[in-house]
Structure formats: structure tokens, C-alpha cells
Amino acid sequence: MNILKRVNIHCPNCGAKATLHPASFVYGNSRSAGSYLYVCDRYPACNSYVAAHRTTRQPMGSLADGELRHKRIQAHRAFDRLWRSGLMTKKEAYQWMQTEFGLHEEQAHIAQFGAYMCDRLICACEKFRIHSAEAA
Ligand SMILES: [Zn+2]
């Protein structure tokens, strides 16, 4: 099995091709040694990239610009709070997300979400937490 097969992905923001680079290409130091990013070929004019899986080097989701990366971090924080608080297991949290938004398992990844879905997830997590607090 060729796990390091080349992936052809494009930047959703400008349409240019994205290329696999060591993370230092963007972060400029060895802080993330061993990790890789798919970076828009027009970087830094177009500030879009996405992390690659450590072993398979497949993109973790779609390329995101600064604003969307920030939103995804916020959405992840809200989502992780659900299962870190012990309200449910991590697996249950992902199942809840799938049910809540009618997603297939492979779609239920925040790295694939656009800004709108991030907002909806943050909102749904808040509602769930408030509801659980009231029920307790
Ligand atoms: Zn781009």
C-alpha cells in the first residue's frame, strides 16, 4: 500500500494548487518538527493551509485562511469541552455531532467545516451544555 501517495488538492480561496511542505515552511522554526502542511502555492499572498496527517501525510481537511482557522480552533474548543467535561465519551460526542447535523462519519471532522458549520457547532455545543446543566 502506498500511503504516501500524492494528493491533488486546491485552495478553495484562490483556486491555486496546494503543495505539501514541512510545517516550518509556514511557522518558520522547528517547533513542529516532523509535521507537514498542505500550503496554497500562492502563499503568503494567499494565507491558506491545512495540517497533514503525521503518518499518511493526507490532508486533515480543506485548506483554510486565517479567519477560518481561527473559527475551527474555536469550534474544536467548544466541542472538546463536551467530552472533556465527562458529559459523554469522545466517541459519543462525534456520534452526537453526526446526528445533530445529519453528517456521515467521514464528514464529521471540524477540519472539513466551513465558517458556517463552525458557528452552528459552537452554538449546538453551548445549547447542549446549558441543557445538561439544567437537567443535572
Ligand atoms: Zn490560495
Side-chain angles (χ1 to χ4, degrees):
M1 188 178 70
N2 181 12
I3 55 164
L4 298 180
K5 78 177 165 69
R6 279 188 163 277
V7 183
N8 277 312
I9 57 168
H10 288 82
C11 171
N13 298 306
C14 75
K17 224 169 70 67
T19 306
L20 190 64
H21 289 280
S24 58
F25 179 80
V26 168
Y27 302 134
N29 56 33
S30 52
R31 164 163 76 93
S32 327
S35 51
Y36 282 80
L37 301 170
Y38 278 87
V39 184
C40 174
D41 280 355
R42 289 189 57 244
Y43 179 88
C46 176
N47 177 28
S48 299
Y49 52 88
V50 68
H53 194 277
R54 262 182 186 269
T55 48
T56 65
R57 305 238 175 115
Q58 300 296 299
M60 304 286 271
S62 60
L63 270 73
D65 60 11
E67 200 177 328
L68 181 53
R69 284 196 302 273
H70 183 69
K71 275 233 185 278
R72 283 176 179 172
I73 289 166
Q74 286 182 312
H76 238 301
R77 235 174 246 159
F79 179 71
D80 290 348
R81 215 179 285 141
L82 282 190
W83 56 268
R84 289 217 171 104
S85 64
L87 284 172
M88 53 178 106
T89 65
K90 188 173 180 179
K91 196 175 171 218
E92 283 165 350
Y94 273 99
Q95 280 164 353
W96 167 81
M97 190 208 286
Q98 286 171 46
T99 311
E100 188 77 12
F101 301 111
L103 300 172
H104 289 292
E105 198 177 338
E106 65 275 15
Q107 295 172 313
H109 296 287
I110 293 165
Q112 292 172 6
F113 285 8
Y116 173 68
M117 274 302 294
C118 287
D119 281 338
R120 284 183 64 194
L121 179 61
I122 292 166
C123 223
C125 288
E126 273 310 299
K127 263 188 209 152
F128 189 93
R129 285 186 338 116
I130 290 164
H131 186 78
S132 307
E134 278 168 356

